[in-house]
Amino acid sequence: MQTVNTGGGVYYSRKGLTLIELLAVIVILAIISLIAVPITLNIIENAQINSFKNSVLNIFRAAEIYELENNLNKIDEVGLEISRLNLTNNHFTGKIKRDKKTNLLTLVTVGDNDYCANGSKNALIIGKSSCSTSDTTPPINVDLKNYDVTTNSVMLEFTAIDYESGIKSYLYCLVKENEECTSFKETTSSKVIEHNLEQNKDYKLLLKAKNGRDMESEVTLKSLTTLSFNKPSCTLDSDTWAVKKTITCTYKKENNISYLYSFDGTIWLDESNDASKWTTTQTEKILNLEIDENKIIYVRTTDGSTNLNVQLVVDKIDTTIPSVVITGYDGKTNNDVTLTAVTTPNTTISGYTY
Protein backbone atom coordinates (compact mmCIF):
# COMPACT_ATOMS: atom_id res chain seq x y z
CA MET A 1 0.00 0.00 0.00
CA GLN A 2 1.39 3.39 -1.01
CA THR A 3 -0.08 6.71 0.42
CA VAL A 4 0.25 9.84 -1.64
CA ASN A 5 -0.37 13.44 -0.48
CA THR A 6 -1.76 15.44 -3.39
CA GLY A 7 -1.20 18.78 -1.61
CA GLY A 8 -4.89 19.49 -1.14
CA GLY A 9 -5.35 17.47 1.97
CA VAL A 10 -6.79 14.54 0.04
CA TYR A 11 -4.99 11.21 0.24
CA TYR A 12 -5.15 8.45 -2.39
CA SER A 13 -3.87 4.98 -2.01
CA ARG A 14 -2.30 3.07 -4.98
CA LYS A 15 -1.87 -0.71 -4.79
CA GLY A 16 0.85 -2.36 -7.02
CA LEU A 17 2.13 -5.91 -7.55
CA THR A 18 4.93 -7.10 -5.43
CA LEU A 19 7.82 -8.98 -6.98
CA ILE A 20 6.53 -12.27 -5.57
CA GLU A 21 3.08 -11.69 -7.04
CA LEU A 22 4.58 -10.83 -10.42
CA LEU A 23 6.68 -13.99 -10.37
CA ALA A 24 3.59 -16.00 -9.50
CA VAL A 25 1.72 -14.60 -12.52
CA ILE A 26 4.65 -15.45 -14.79
CA VAL A 27 4.80 -19.01 -13.44
CA ILE A 28 1.04 -19.48 -13.98
CA LEU A 29 1.29 -18.20 -17.57
CA ALA A 30 4.24 -20.53 -18.18
CA ILE A 31 2.28 -23.52 -16.87
CA ILE A 32 -0.68 -22.61 -19.10
CA SER A 33 1.68 -22.34 -22.10
CA LEU A 34 3.26 -25.70 -21.30
CA ILE A 35 -0.17 -27.27 -21.35
CA ALA A 36 -1.79 -25.32 -24.20
CA VAL A 37 1.03 -25.17 -26.77
CA PRO A 38 1.50 -28.96 -27.16
CA ILE A 39 -2.27 -29.42 -27.37
CA THR A 40 -2.52 -26.72 -30.05
CA LEU A 41 0.42 -28.12 -31.98
CA ASN A 42 -1.06 -31.60 -31.77
CA ILE A 43 -4.39 -30.33 -33.15
CA ILE A 44 -2.55 -28.65 -36.04
CA GLU A 45 -0.49 -31.80 -36.66
CA ASN A 46 -3.58 -34.02 -36.72
CA ALA A 47 -5.31 -31.63 -39.11
CA GLN A 48 -2.30 -31.72 -41.46
CA ILE A 49 -2.12 -35.53 -41.29
CA ASN A 50 -5.85 -35.83 -42.02
CA SER A 51 -5.48 -33.44 -44.94
CA PHE A 52 -2.58 -35.51 -46.28
CA LYS A 53 -4.56 -38.72 -45.78
CA ASN A 54 -7.56 -37.36 -47.68
CA SER A 55 -5.27 -36.36 -50.53
CA VAL A 56 -3.70 -39.82 -50.51
CA LEU A 57 -7.14 -41.49 -50.65
CA ASN A 58 -7.77 -39.54 -53.86
CA ILE A 59 -4.84 -41.45 -55.34
CA PHE A 60 -6.74 -44.73 -54.97
CA ARG A 61 -9.78 -43.24 -56.71
CA ALA A 62 -7.60 -41.84 -59.51
CA ALA A 63 -5.93 -45.24 -59.93
CA GLU A 64 -9.31 -46.98 -60.27
CA ILE A 65 -10.37 -44.42 -62.89
CA TYR A 66 -7.04 -44.96 -64.68
CA GLU A 67 -7.76 -48.68 -64.93
CA LEU A 68 -11.27 -48.06 -66.28
CA GLU A 69 -10.06 -45.55 -68.85
CA ASN A 70 -7.43 -48.03 -70.01
CA ASN A 71 -9.98 -50.79 -70.67
CA LEU A 72 -9.56 -52.41 -67.25
CA ASN A 73 -5.82 -52.76 -67.84
CA LYS A 74 -4.91 -53.50 -64.25
CA ILE A 75 -1.99 -51.79 -62.53
CA ASP A 76 0.49 -54.62 -61.91
CA GLU A 77 2.94 -55.45 -59.13
CA VAL A 78 5.66 -53.35 -60.78
CA GLY A 79 3.51 -50.29 -60.16
CA LEU A 80 2.58 -46.99 -61.75
CA GLU A 81 4.18 -43.61 -61.07
CA ILE A 82 1.78 -41.30 -59.22
CA SER A 83 2.69 -38.55 -61.70
CA ARG A 84 0.80 -40.47 -64.43
CA LEU A 85 -2.52 -40.25 -62.58
CA ASN A 86 -5.05 -37.49 -63.23
CA LEU A 87 -4.84 -35.67 -59.89
CA THR A 88 -5.46 -32.00 -59.13
CA ASN A 89 -2.29 -30.37 -57.74
CA ASN A 90 -0.38 -33.62 -58.04
CA HIS A 91 2.73 -33.00 -55.95
CA PHE A 92 3.28 -36.58 -54.83
CA THR A 93 6.24 -38.83 -55.50
CA GLY A 94 6.18 -42.60 -55.36
CA LYS A 95 4.13 -45.38 -56.94
CA ILE A 96 0.91 -47.29 -56.61
CA LYS A 97 0.97 -51.01 -57.35
CA ARG A 98 -1.33 -54.00 -57.10
CA ASP A 99 -0.10 -56.32 -54.35
CA LYS A 100 0.69 -59.75 -55.76
CA LYS A 101 -0.75 -61.61 -52.76
CA THR A 102 -3.82 -59.55 -51.85
CA ASN A 103 -4.52 -58.04 -55.30
CA LEU A 104 -5.18 -54.72 -53.51
CA LEU A 105 -3.99 -51.36 -54.76
CA THR A 106 -1.08 -50.43 -52.50
CA LEU A 107 0.96 -47.25 -52.09
CA VAL A 108 4.74 -47.52 -52.14
CA THR A 109 6.49 -44.60 -50.41
CA VAL A 110 4.04 -42.00 -51.66
CA GLY A 111 4.64 -38.61 -50.12
CA ASP A 112 5.27 -34.90 -50.31
CA ASN A 113 7.91 -32.89 -48.46
CA ASP A 114 6.36 -33.52 -45.03
CA TYR A 115 4.67 -36.93 -44.89
CA CYS A 116 5.09 -40.39 -46.36
CA ALA A 117 2.38 -43.05 -46.89
CA ASN A 118 2.58 -46.80 -47.48
CA GLY A 119 -0.01 -49.58 -47.63
CA SER A 120 -3.50 -50.26 -48.95
CA LYS A 121 -6.57 -48.00 -48.61
CA ASN A 122 -7.76 -49.65 -45.39
CA ALA A 123 -4.30 -50.18 -43.91
CA LEU A 124 -2.46 -46.92 -44.51
CA ILE A 125 0.74 -46.20 -42.63
CA ILE A 126 1.58 -42.48 -42.53
CA GLY A 127 4.87 -41.17 -41.21
CA LYS A 128 5.98 -37.60 -40.52
CA SER A 129 8.97 -37.32 -42.81
CA SER A 130 9.75 -37.04 -46.48
CA CYS A 131 9.87 -40.39 -48.25
CA SER A 132 13.18 -39.37 -49.76
CA THR A 133 15.05 -38.92 -46.48
CA SER A 134 15.60 -42.64 -46.02
CA ASP A 135 16.58 -43.34 -49.64
CA THR A 136 20.21 -44.42 -50.02
CA THR A 137 20.00 -46.33 -53.31
CA PRO A 138 19.58 -45.18 -56.95
CA PRO A 139 16.63 -46.21 -59.14
CA ILE A 140 16.47 -49.77 -60.47
CA ASN A 141 14.86 -51.57 -63.44
CA VAL A 142 15.41 -48.61 -65.76
CA ASP A 143 14.08 -49.58 -69.17
CA LEU A 144 12.45 -48.49 -72.41
CA LYS A 145 8.89 -49.66 -71.76
CA ASN A 146 7.53 -48.87 -75.20
CA TYR A 147 8.41 -47.02 -78.36
CA ASP A 148 6.77 -46.17 -81.68
CA VAL A 149 8.89 -45.14 -84.66
CA THR A 150 8.06 -43.44 -87.94
CA THR A 151 10.39 -42.47 -90.77
CA ASN A 152 11.54 -39.30 -88.97
CA SER A 153 10.39 -39.47 -85.33
CA VAL A 154 10.04 -41.77 -82.35
CA MET A 155 7.82 -41.84 -79.26
CA LEU A 156 9.70 -43.13 -76.22
CA GLU A 157 8.11 -44.35 -72.99
CA PHE A 158 10.42 -44.90 -70.01
CA THR A 159 10.01 -46.88 -66.82
CA ALA A 160 12.02 -47.25 -63.61
CA ILE A 161 11.50 -48.15 -59.96
CA ASP A 162 12.51 -46.35 -56.79
CA TYR A 163 10.41 -47.46 -53.83
CA GLU A 164 11.87 -44.96 -51.34
CA SER A 165 11.81 -41.52 -52.96
CA GLY A 166 10.21 -42.19 -56.33
CA ILE A 167 11.37 -41.30 -59.82
CA LYS A 168 12.05 -37.58 -60.13
CA SER A 169 13.11 -37.49 -63.79
CA TYR A 170 14.63 -39.38 -66.71
CA LEU A 171 17.83 -38.51 -68.53
CA TYR A 172 18.23 -39.75 -72.10
CA CYS A 173 20.41 -39.35 -75.14
CA LEU A 174 19.36 -40.46 -78.64
CA VAL A 175 22.09 -40.53 -81.29
CA LYS A 176 22.95 -42.48 -84.43
CA GLU A 177 24.47 -45.88 -83.81
CA ASN A 178 27.98 -44.78 -84.82
CA GLU A 179 27.93 -41.47 -82.91
CA GLU A 180 28.94 -40.61 -79.35
CA CYS A 181 26.56 -39.10 -76.82
CA THR A 182 27.78 -35.69 -75.70
CA SER A 183 24.91 -34.62 -73.43
CA PHE A 184 21.71 -35.96 -71.85
CA LYS A 185 18.26 -34.40 -71.99
CA GLU A 186 16.25 -34.40 -68.75
CA THR A 187 12.45 -34.81 -68.55
CA THR A 188 9.97 -35.26 -65.71
CA SER A 189 7.58 -37.07 -68.06
CA SER A 190 7.83 -40.79 -68.75
CA LYS A 191 6.89 -40.14 -72.40
CA VAL A 192 8.79 -38.02 -74.93
CA ILE A 193 8.79 -37.61 -78.72
CA GLU A 194 11.96 -37.00 -80.69
CA HIS A 195 11.63 -35.44 -84.16
CA ASN A 196 13.92 -34.71 -87.10
CA LEU A 197 15.39 -38.20 -87.32
CA GLU A 198 16.70 -39.68 -90.55
CA GLN A 199 14.73 -42.28 -92.48
CA ASN A 200 15.78 -45.94 -92.24
CA LYS A 201 18.65 -45.28 -89.80
CA ASP A 202 19.90 -47.18 -86.75
CA TYR A 203 19.86 -45.20 -83.49
CA LYS A 204 20.95 -45.93 -79.93
CA LEU A 205 19.26 -44.70 -76.77
CA LEU A 206 21.18 -44.14 -73.54
CA LEU A 207 18.79 -43.91 -70.60
CA LYS A 208 19.15 -43.08 -66.89
CA ALA A 209 16.67 -42.35 -64.10
CA LYS A 210 16.99 -39.90 -61.18
CA ASN A 211 15.21 -40.37 -57.84
CA GLY A 212 13.90 -37.91 -55.25
CA ARG A 213 17.36 -37.54 -53.74
CA ASP A 214 18.95 -36.81 -57.12
CA MET A 215 20.68 -40.18 -57.23
CA GLU A 216 21.15 -41.45 -60.79
CA SER A 217 20.94 -45.03 -62.03
CA GLU A 218 23.38 -46.83 -64.28
CA VAL A 219 22.99 -46.22 -68.01
CA THR A 220 20.64 -48.53 -69.95
CA LEU A 221 21.43 -48.95 -73.66
CA LYS A 222 18.73 -49.65 -76.28
CA SER A 223 18.75 -49.79 -80.09
CA LEU A 224 16.02 -48.82 -82.55
CA THR A 225 15.66 -48.17 -86.28
CA THR A 226 13.51 -45.58 -88.01
CA LEU A 227 11.14 -46.81 -90.70
CA SER A 228 11.90 -46.82 -94.41
CA PHE A 229 8.28 -45.79 -95.11
CA ASN A 230 5.31 -44.58 -93.06
CA LYS A 231 2.42 -46.45 -91.52
CA PRO A 232 -1.10 -45.04 -92.08
CA SER A 233 -2.69 -42.66 -89.60
CA CYS A 234 -6.33 -43.53 -88.86
CA THR A 235 -9.05 -41.77 -86.85
CA LEU A 236 -12.69 -42.48 -85.97
CA ASP A 237 -15.19 -39.62 -86.28
CA SER A 238 -17.00 -40.42 -83.01
CA ASP A 239 -16.59 -42.45 -79.81
CA THR A 240 -20.28 -42.13 -78.80
CA TRP A 241 -23.27 -44.26 -79.79
CA ALA A 242 -24.28 -43.88 -83.44
CA VAL A 243 -25.97 -45.79 -86.29
CA LYS A 244 -22.83 -45.49 -88.39
CA LYS A 245 -19.31 -44.11 -88.16
CA THR A 246 -16.60 -43.03 -90.56
CA ILE A 247 -12.98 -44.13 -90.45
CA THR A 248 -10.50 -41.80 -92.09
CA CYS A 249 -7.00 -43.07 -92.86
CA THR A 250 -4.34 -40.76 -94.24
CA TYR A 251 -1.39 -42.13 -96.17
CA LYS A 252 1.83 -40.41 -97.09
CA LYS A 253 2.22 -41.22 -100.76
CA GLU A 254 5.56 -42.99 -101.36
CA ASN A 255 7.03 -44.83 -104.30
CA ASN A 256 6.59 -48.61 -104.48
CA ILE A 257 4.35 -48.66 -101.39
CA SER A 258 0.92 -50.35 -101.37
CA TYR A 259 -1.98 -49.34 -99.11
CA LEU A 260 -4.34 -52.09 -97.94
CA TYR A 261 -7.26 -52.62 -95.59
CA SER A 262 -9.32 -55.60 -94.41
CA PHE A 263 -12.19 -56.58 -92.13
CA ASP A 264 -11.00 -60.19 -91.86
CA GLY A 265 -10.08 -60.85 -88.24
CA THR A 266 -7.88 -63.81 -89.15
CA ILE A 267 -5.31 -61.83 -91.11
CA TRP A 268 -3.80 -59.57 -88.45
CA LEU A 269 -0.61 -61.64 -88.23
CA ASP A 270 -0.76 -62.71 -91.89
CA GLU A 271 2.25 -61.26 -93.71
CA SER A 272 1.33 -62.59 -97.17
CA ASN A 273 -0.82 -59.63 -98.32
CA ASP A 274 -3.23 -62.15 -99.85
CA ALA A 275 -5.43 -60.26 -102.34
CA SER A 276 -8.44 -62.38 -101.33
CA LYS A 277 -8.23 -61.01 -97.78
CA TRP A 278 -6.83 -57.52 -98.30
CA THR A 279 -8.33 -54.70 -100.37
CA THR A 280 -5.99 -52.24 -102.06
CA THR A 281 -7.13 -48.64 -101.69
CA GLN A 282 -7.83 -46.78 -104.88
CA THR A 283 -7.13 -43.35 -103.44
CA GLU A 284 -3.66 -41.90 -103.16
CA LYS A 285 -3.75 -40.19 -99.78
CA ILE A 286 -7.06 -40.56 -97.93
CA LEU A 287 -9.28 -43.56 -97.27
CA ASN A 288 -12.81 -42.95 -95.94
CA LEU A 289 -14.80 -45.99 -94.84
CA GLU A 290 -18.39 -45.78 -93.56
CA ILE A 291 -19.08 -48.51 -90.99
CA ASP A 292 -22.59 -49.49 -89.81
CA GLU A 293 -21.74 -52.43 -87.53
CA ASN A 294 -19.33 -53.18 -84.70
CA LYS A 295 -16.11 -54.59 -86.13
CA ILE A 296 -12.35 -54.25 -86.32
CA ILE A 297 -10.63 -52.77 -89.35
CA TYR A 298 -7.02 -53.53 -90.22
CA VAL A 299 -5.01 -51.06 -92.29
CA ARG A 300 -1.58 -51.78 -93.72
CA THR A 301 1.18 -50.17 -95.75
CA THR A 302 3.69 -52.51 -97.36
CA ASP A 303 6.67 -52.47 -99.70
CA GLY A 304 6.25 -56.16 -100.40
CA SER A 305 8.66 -57.38 -97.74
CA THR A 306 7.89 -55.19 -94.71
CA ASN A 307 4.33 -54.62 -93.43
CA LEU A 308 3.29 -51.76 -91.14
CA ASN A 309 -0.10 -52.36 -89.49
CA VAL A 310 -2.76 -50.26 -87.77
CA GLN A 311 -5.74 -51.78 -85.96
CA LEU A 312 -8.88 -49.75 -85.29
CA VAL A 313 -11.83 -50.97 -83.19
CA VAL A 314 -15.25 -49.67 -84.23
CA ASP A 315 -17.85 -50.11 -81.48
CA LYS A 316 -20.98 -48.45 -80.07
CA ILE A 317 -22.85 -48.96 -83.34
CA ASP A 318 -26.59 -49.37 -82.68
CA THR A 319 -29.06 -49.79 -85.56
CA THR A 320 -31.87 -51.41 -83.51
CA ILE A 321 -35.01 -49.29 -82.99
CA PRO A 322 -36.15 -49.33 -79.32
CA SER A 323 -39.48 -50.99 -78.52
CA VAL A 324 -41.88 -49.16 -76.16
CA VAL A 325 -44.40 -50.67 -73.73
CA ILE A 326 -47.18 -48.50 -72.18
CA THR A 327 -48.57 -49.63 -68.83
CA GLY A 328 -51.09 -48.20 -66.34
CA TYR A 329 -53.56 -46.77 -68.88
CA ASP A 330 -56.99 -48.35 -69.58
CA GLY A 331 -58.42 -45.59 -71.82
CA LYS A 332 -61.24 -44.75 -69.36
CA THR A 333 -59.81 -43.19 -66.25
CA ASN A 334 -57.07 -40.64 -65.69
CA ASN A 335 -54.49 -43.18 -64.65
CA ASP A 336 -50.78 -42.51 -64.54
CA VAL A 337 -49.00 -43.73 -67.64
CA THR A 338 -45.65 -45.51 -67.52
CA LEU A 339 -43.46 -45.67 -70.63
CA THR A 340 -40.90 -48.46 -70.70
CA ALA A 341 -38.43 -48.80 -73.58
CA VAL A 342 -36.27 -51.78 -74.45
CA THR A 343 -33.17 -51.29 -76.56
CA THR A 344 -29.93 -53.01 -77.54
CA PRO A 345 -27.94 -54.43 -74.58
CA ASN A 346 -25.30 -52.06 -73.16
CA THR A 347 -27.03 -49.01 -74.69
CA THR A 348 -29.28 -46.47 -73.02
CA ILE A 349 -32.45 -44.54 -73.82
CA SER A 350 -31.57 -40.86 -74.31
CA GLY A 351 -35.18 -39.62 -74.11
CA TYR A 352 -38.85 -40.04 -75.04
CA THR A 353 -41.04 -38.13 -77.52
CA TYR A 354 -44.80 -38.25 -77.00
Side-chain angles (χ1 to χ4, degrees):
M1 175 77 67
Q2 183 180 11
T3 302
V4 179
N5 187 347
T6 62
V10 179
Y11 289 85
Y12 294 92
S13 64
R14 183 182 299 159
K15 184 178 182 181
L17 293 174
T18 65
L19 179 60
I20 295 177
E21 290 172 329
L22 185 59
L23 288 174
V25 170
I26 294 174
V27 169
I28 291 171
L29 292 175
I31 293 173
I32 292 174
S33 298
L34 289 174
I35 297 172
V37 170
I39 293 175
T40 303
L41 293 177
N42 189 49
I43 291 173
I44 295 173
E45 179 74 18
N46 287 337
Q48 291 174 337
I49 291 176
N50 286 333
S51 176
F52 174 79
K53 184 178 181 180
N54 290 333
S55 298
V56 165
L57 291 176
N58 287 331
I59 295 175
F60 290 99
R61 288 188 283 272
E64 291 166 355
I65 294 172
Y66 174 89
E67 290 183 326
L68 290 173
E69 290 179 343
N70 288 273
N71 298 322
L72 297 178
N73 184 18
K74 297 292 185 181
I75 297 171
D76 58 20
E77 64 271 14
V78 174
L80 181 76
E81 291 289 338
I82 301 300
S83 59
R84 294 185 58 186
L85 297 177
N86 185 17
L87 286 167
T88 303
N89 299 324
N90 189 356
H91 54 277
F92 292 104
T93 60
K95 284 192 173 186
I96 184 166
K97 69 174 186 176
R98 193 167 286 280
D99 189 89
K100 198 171 184 179
K101 293 182 179 179
T102 64
N103 199 37
L104 295 175
L105 287 171
T106 305
L107 300 183
V108 181
T109 56
V110 171
D112 52 18
N113 293 326
D114 300 310
Y115 300 98
C116 188
N118 289 274
S120 62
K121 183 188 296 186
N122 296 322
L124 272 180
I125 300 174
I126 297 177
K128 188 183 182 328
S129 66
S130 170
C131 292
S132 64
T133 56
S134 60
D135 192 357
T136 59
T137 57
I140 59 174
N141 295 356
V142 181
D143 201 0
L144 180 61
K145 182 179 180 181
N146 188 26
Y147 69 94
D148 186 25
V149 293
T150 68
T151 56
N152 60 3
S153 67
V154 60
M155 184 282 293
L156 304 168
E157 183 176 6
F158 311 132
T159 182
I161 295 176
D162 193 294
Y163 291 123
E164 289 81 14
S165 60
I167 301 301
K168 178 181 179 181
S169 61
Y170 293 95
L171 300 99
Y172 69 99
C173 179
L174 183 66
V175 293
K176 293 179 184 176
E177 190 66 45
N178 58 351
E179 294 180 351
E180 294 296 324
C181 175
T182 57
S183 63
F184 281 79
K185 295 181 180 180
E186 186 169 4
T187 175
T188 57
S189 173
S190 61
K191 286 185 179 181
V192 296
I193 298 178
E194 286 291 310
H195 298 281
N196 301 320
L197 305 183
E198 293 186 21
Q199 184 172 331
N200 197 26
K201 289 289 184 180
D202 294 328
Y203 284 84
K204 62 183 177 183
L205 172 71
L206 292 82
L207 176 64
K208 299 187 291 184
K210 182 187 291 187
N211 66 15
R213 297 199 71 189
D214 291 333
M215 302 175 70
E216 296 182 6
S217 68
E218 297 291 330
V219 174
T220 297
L221 179 63
K222 295 290 180 179
S223 298
L224 53 92
T225 303
T226 53
L227 301 178
S228 56
F229 58 94
N230 287 285
K231 67 173 62 176
S233 173
C234 297
T235 58
L236 200 60
D237 66 341
S238 173
D239 61 356
T240 59
W241 286 99
V243 296
K244 61 182 179 180
K245 299 184 180 184
T246 300
I247 293 175
T248 301
C249 294
T250 305
Y251 304 94
K252 182 178 180 181
K253 189 63 178 176
E254 297 169 281
N255 293 331
N256 302 316
I257 302 299
S258 299
Y259 310 96
L260 316 173
Y261 68 91
S262 177
F263 299 110
D264 188 340
T266 66
I267 52 79
W268 181 239
L269 298 178
D270 173 33
E271 298 294 332
S272 66
N273 299 317
D274 187 342
S276 65
K277 297 180 178 179
W278 291 92
T279 301
T280 302
T281 66
Q282 301 301 314
T283 57
E284 288 190 352
K285 290 186 177 181
I286 297 177
L287 167 68
N288 286 315
L289 293 175
E290 201 169 80
I291 311 298
D292 59 3
E293 60 180 316
N294 296 318
K295 61 173 59 179
I296 299 175
I297 181 174
Y298 306 93
V299 186
R300 169 178 290 179
T301 54
T302 179
D303 63 359
S305 59
T306 301
N307 300 321
L308 303 180
N309 303 313
V310 172
Q311 173 181 301
L312 204 64
V313 178
V314 182
D315 60 0
K316 294 185 178 179
I317 298 289
D318 184 10
T319 57
T320 304
I321 299 174
S323 59
V324 179
V325 178
I326 301 176
T327 59
Y329 179 64
D330 58 13
K332 298 178 181 179
T333 59
N334 293 325
N335 295 339
D336 292 333
V337 176
T338 301
L339 299 179
T340 304
V342 179
T343 186
T344 306
N346 300 323
T347 64
T348 59
I349 302 298
S350 61
Y352 294 90
T353 301
Y354 61 93

